[in-house]
Amino acid sequence: DLYRKVFVFRKDPSDAYVVLRARLEQPLHNLTVCLRSYTDLTRPHGLFSYATKTRDNEILLFKPKPEEYRFYVGGKFVTFRVPEGRGDWEHVCASWESATGIAEFWLNGKPWPRKGLQRGYTVGATAAILLGQEQDSFGGGFDFYNSFSGELTDVYLWDTGLSPDKMRAAFLSLRLPPALLAWNSLSYEVKGDVVVKPRLRE
């Protein structure tokens, strides 16, 4: 149980990552991914990377610079411009629904203007899911200058779009619906220089 714990990615740049195991029975037509990160990186870095055999950026949360997030589905992405961080934890949730192609992005419990992405697309179920790197091939192909350095916690993946109430609940670490990946029952494997530590503060 990773309750009140974090992954500390110690090195910069780094070849380290964390493999996540999810029970995906079928392809995804809707999804929400949430996580909390704490870093002083100003260079590009991958946070959450979900690759299939046919597509490396099937789902990707990527931060190319301090005032921008990119959310990829099926190799295409939308950009969300954000205020530059004030050296604090940033909680992000990104959701997508195939039927409308609507992508939502929430930062620290607040929604950004919705954007259109990959209407009618289906996300493959046989996936390599990693934290801290951006995959350029299935389970690998890393550019170490896109690696994450810092602290990650509260990682979730759902096969639904979360309601606004649940988006806010994720930010506040309240009770959440059952997830494909849930921080408090995470099946994971650390690869390289990543340490599990208690969170320094709430």
Side-chain angles (χ1 to χ4, degrees), residues 146-161:
N146 284 338
S147 61
F148 177 76
S149 163
E151 306 190 14
L152 280 182
T153 188
D154 294 347
V155 180
Y156 289 86
L157 174 67
W158 288 271
D159 58 359
T160 57

Side-chain angles (χ1 to χ4, degrees), residues 20 22-31 33 47-61 71-75 121-131 133-139 157-159 180-181:
L20 305 183
R23 286 183 195 84
L24 290 159
E25 263 114 56
Q26 61 228 24
L28 302 177
H29 300 281
N30 304 285
L31 64 96
V33 56
L47 292 160
F48 179 97
S49 173
Y50 175 119
T52 58
K53 296 252 167 59
T54 52
R55 209 174 283 276
D56 53 356
N57 296 333
E58 189 77 23
I59 306 168
L60 175 65
L61 266 179
F71 176 39
Y72 287 75
V73 173
Y121 187 76
T122 302
V123 169
T126 307
I129 308 174
L130 308 183
L131 300 177
Q133 297 282 358
E134 186 250 322
Q135 302 175 73
D136 285 329
S137 60
F138 188 74
L157 174 67
W158 288 271
D159 58 359
L180 299 172
L181 289 169

